[in-house]
Amino acid sequence: MTVTIARTLDDACAALADRPDAVVLAGGTDLMVEVNRGLRRMDDVVALDRVAELRGWDRDGDELRLGAATTCAELAGDELAPLVPALAQAARTVGSPQIRNAATIGGNLATASPAGDTLPVLAALDAVVEVRSVHGTRDVPIDGFVTGVKSNALAPGELIAAVRVPILDGPQEFLKVGTRNAMVISVASLALVVDRAGRNVRVALGSVAPVPVRAVEAEVLASDRIDWDAGAAPGPVVVDRFAGLVADAARPIDDHRGTAAYRRHAVEVLARRALRRAFTAGSGVAA
Amino acid sequence: MGDGTLALTVNGRAHQVVDAHPGESLLFVLRERLGLAGSKNACEEGECGSCTVRVDARLVCGCLVLAAAVDGSEVTTIEGLGIEASSDAGLSDVQQAFLDAGAVQCGFCTPGLLMAVDHLLDDDPEPDELVVREAISGNLCRCTGYGRILEAVELAAASRRDAERTP
Ligand SMILES: Cc1cc2nc3c(=O)[nH]c(=O)nc-3n(C[C@H](O)[C@H](O)[C@H](O)COP(=O)(O)OP(=O)(O)OC[C@H]3O[C@@H](n4cnc5c(N)ncnc54)[C@H](O)[C@@H]3O)c2cc1C
Ligand code: FES
Ligand code: FES
């Protein structure tokens, strides 16, 4: 049994280069469930929890760089929430306080579950994943990072070092449908971000396709029809068309959490709600 | 750690665990190797909160912590809550409040809830009801219906504030 408790990013990368089959452990909230069920052995582990470089975040102008071990509790906290409100809202819906204190953004990304709550937000923000190994760092755009249900673009020996997202001027929303308020896996979710400077609206959906999907046609419609100078919500006809186009972008399936038809309906409702909220006075505006 | 020995400080006492197997959770080590059975094992998947402990400053589910990865950490369990207790019975303010409010029925959820509530009150001495509900949202109770638990949190908050006022 080898458990390497890495102290630096270089340590972690070196350990993974030596033992490419080692399990990378962050908060353990996905991995330990599998271990406890007897589905996974932990003979060889590289733990990232104490790598200081992975734990912080920094702001460089209009860009925020989040270390991979940033927890959901930190994402939802007072420092980060004003910078990326939708990411904070998504993080706040993950599990319970105990789960959010451990669960990391890197773990949510690497798990690449269709129901991963940070994923639609990262997709809407066009996040960039910083991937690191002993050979150096490479940037992977979010739409190339999640490659399928629970699969990602990491090669053996690679880990996620950080995620970079823009700090946008404009309201953001994350909405999630589940069976109750706490401790619930998304049946459908939607992230909407507004970029006033770029005069565009971006929308991504979770739990309605193998990977997070962007509702591109809906984005184009909303971006065209919003009165950017007045900052007013578009009229009801446009909002309905927008919601219809969002529903068209979903590729849902029937499973134990919900039917495809229900999911398509749910994202249509969420789309209407998110667009209205975003353009109502007093909505959460990013720094 | 490569030699399989695990150093943990639990409730202020140093322990060496020599025989842990790979993949053992902190909860398993606490209960089965250190004999601290106060933290309960129910779901082992992070859903019920009956295994809630503090690792360093963080409130987490002990069942989702790989013991080997927290080598060298300080752990607080329910057995540690009474240690600084003021009451004659050796109960902490939160424990006493749960008794007084009748918030304990079968008791299986109680250790985890006590840990969560203690942590909450350290952070926020005057939580409103929404904050309390959020703070205990990771702790399931199948018996009480939560009404008395919410009352107990109010009692505990009040008694902690009183204690801080009287030096
Ligand atoms: C009770 C419960 C409720 C939950 N609720 C939600 C929810 O509402 N929404 C949601 O989205 N998720 C939820 N989850 C899932 C989980 O908490 C999240 O996916 C979390 O973000 C995983 O992060 P972690 O740090 O705990 O990952 P870990 O379990 O440590 O790791 C998960 C995976 O990511 C890999 N990994 C971790 N960090 C890195 C890195 N830096 N580089 C490369 N690979 C890495 C690991 O090797 C592993 O494959 C829940 C889990 C539980 C137990
Ligand atoms: S036993 Fe850990 S959360 Fe249920
Ligand atoms: S008292 Fe029985 S589960 Fe809470």
Side-chain angles (χ1 to χ4, degrees):
Chain A
M1 166 184 186
T2 314
V3 177
T4 302
I5 300 178
R7 305 280 167 174
T8 67
L9 195 47
D10 284 343
D11 274 1
C13 291
L16 272 184
D18 274 357
R19 291 143 40 210
D21 292 332
V23 179
V24 174
L25 175 74
T29 60
D30 278 317
L31 278 174
M32 286 303 287
V33 172
E34 292 178 20
V35 172
N36 291 341
R37 286 188 190 151
L39 301 175
R40 188 192 276 270
R41 293 177 58 90
M42 295 292 256
D43 297 339
D44 194 1
V45 176
V46 178
L48 303 182
D49 201 42
R50 290 184 229 183
V51 178
E53 296 146 281
L54 294 177
R55 297 218 54 131
W57 55 85
D58 30 51
R59 181 179 178 167
D60 180 10
D62 286 339
E63 191 172 68
L64 184 66
R65 183 177 180 278
L66 299 160
T70 304
T71 61
C72 286
E74 289 164 340
L75 290 175
D78 293 344
E79 277 182 65
L80 289 176
L83 304 178
V84 270
L87 196 55
Q89 289 169 27
R92 212 175 155 257
T93 73
V94 171
S96 64
Q98 289 91 323
I99 300 297
R100 292 193 287 278
N101 286 339
T104 66
I105 190 167
N108 205 241
L109 260 169
T111 292
S113 159
D117 282 317
T118 70
L119 303 185
V121 184
L122 296 174
L125 289 169
D126 287 313
V128 172
V129 184
E130 260 179 51
V131 171
R132 171 92 167 230
S133 71
V134 286
H135 307 297
T137 305
R138 65 183 180 110
D139 283 349
V140 183
I142 183 75
D143 61 353
F145 184 82
V146 181
T147 52
V149 175
K150 302 211 168 173
S151 72
N152 64 44
L154 292 174
E158 286 187 331
L159 53 79
I160 302 168
V163 186
R164 298 199 308 269
V165 293
I167 297 171
L168 299 174
D169 170 28
Q172 303 188 354
E173 296 288 337
F174 172 81
L175 301 170
K176 161 172 167 178
V177 173
T179 44
R180 61 191 187 111
N181 273 340
M183 195 69 96
V184 73
I185 302 294
S186 295
V187 176
S189 69
L190 176 143
L192 181 146
V193 305
V194 177
D195 176 7
R196 281 201 193 107
R199 298 202 158 197
N200 64 55
V201 172
R202 281 129 70 173
V203 184
L205 310 176
S207 286
V208 294
V211 300
V213 284
R214 287 277 290 268
V216 179
E217 287 178 31
E219 293 180 358
V220 171
L221 173 80
S223 306
D224 270 2
R225 302 297 295 271
I226 281 161
D227 179 347
W228 290 100
D229 296 315
V237 178
V238 176
V239 173
D240 279 347
R241 269 184 57 210
F242 170 79
L245 289 172
V246 167
D248 288 346
R251 296 280 170 270
I253 56 164
D254 292 336
D255 69 10
H256 61 289
R257 290 202 192 93
T259 62
Y262 176 74
R263 289 187 153 105
R264 199 181 291 280
H265 174 71
V267 290
E268 186 171 342
V269 172
L270 296 184
R272 203 174 283 125
R273 193 173 294 164
L275 191 65
R276 285 218 184 97
R277 278 194 191 166
F279 287 94
T280 303
S283 54
V285 175
Chain B
M1 76 164 250
D3 61 355
T5 305
L6 181 62
L8 288 176
T9 303
V10 184
N11 304 326
R13 267 190 61 197
H15 293 270
Q16 299 284 328
V17 183
V18 289
D19 44 4
H21 291 300
E24 274 179 15
S25 68
L26 177 61
L27 177 65
F28 187 91
V29 167
L30 289 170
R31 289 178 57 85
E32 309 297 334
R33 310 250 173 235
L34 300 179
L36 295 168
S39 311
K40 298 300 175 218
N41 180 359
C43 69
E44 287 201 295
E45 50 185 44
E47 295 276 348
C48 75
S50 57
C51 63
T52 300
V53 295
R54 236 193 269 215
V55 177
D56 298 324
R58 278 199 234 179
L59 191 77
V60 294
C61 295
C63 70
L64 298 184
V65 174
L66 182 72
V70 292
D71 187 32
S73 296
E74 294 209 17
V75 179
T76 309
T77 69
I78 185 64
E79 288 88 348
L81 267 201
I83 287 181
E84 305 148 36
S86 44
S87 89
D88 296 340
L91 297 178
S92 75
D93 49 6
V94 183
Q95 287 170 317
Q96 191 62 51
F98 268 61
L99 280 187
D100 293 345
V104 182
Q105 288 188 29
C106 81
F108 204 82
C109 67
T110 310
L113 270 163
L114 293 170
M115 292 303 294
V117 172
D118 184 67
H119 191 78
L120 165 70
L121 296 182
D122 278 355
D123 234 36
D124 182 351
E126 272 177 274
D128 64 32
E129 189 177 316
L130 270 183
V131 171
V132 175
R133 282 175 182 268
E134 181 69 47
I136 62 171
S137 61
N139 294 82
L140 295 184
C141 174
R142 300 304 302 269
C143 303
T144 63
Y146 301 98
R148 295 196 171 181
I149 291 172
L150 293 172
E151 282 168 34
V153 180
E154 246 178 72
L155 274 182
S159 85
R160 192 170 293 194
R161 286 196 301 272
D162 285 349
E164 259 143 42
R165 253 180 250 126
T166 29

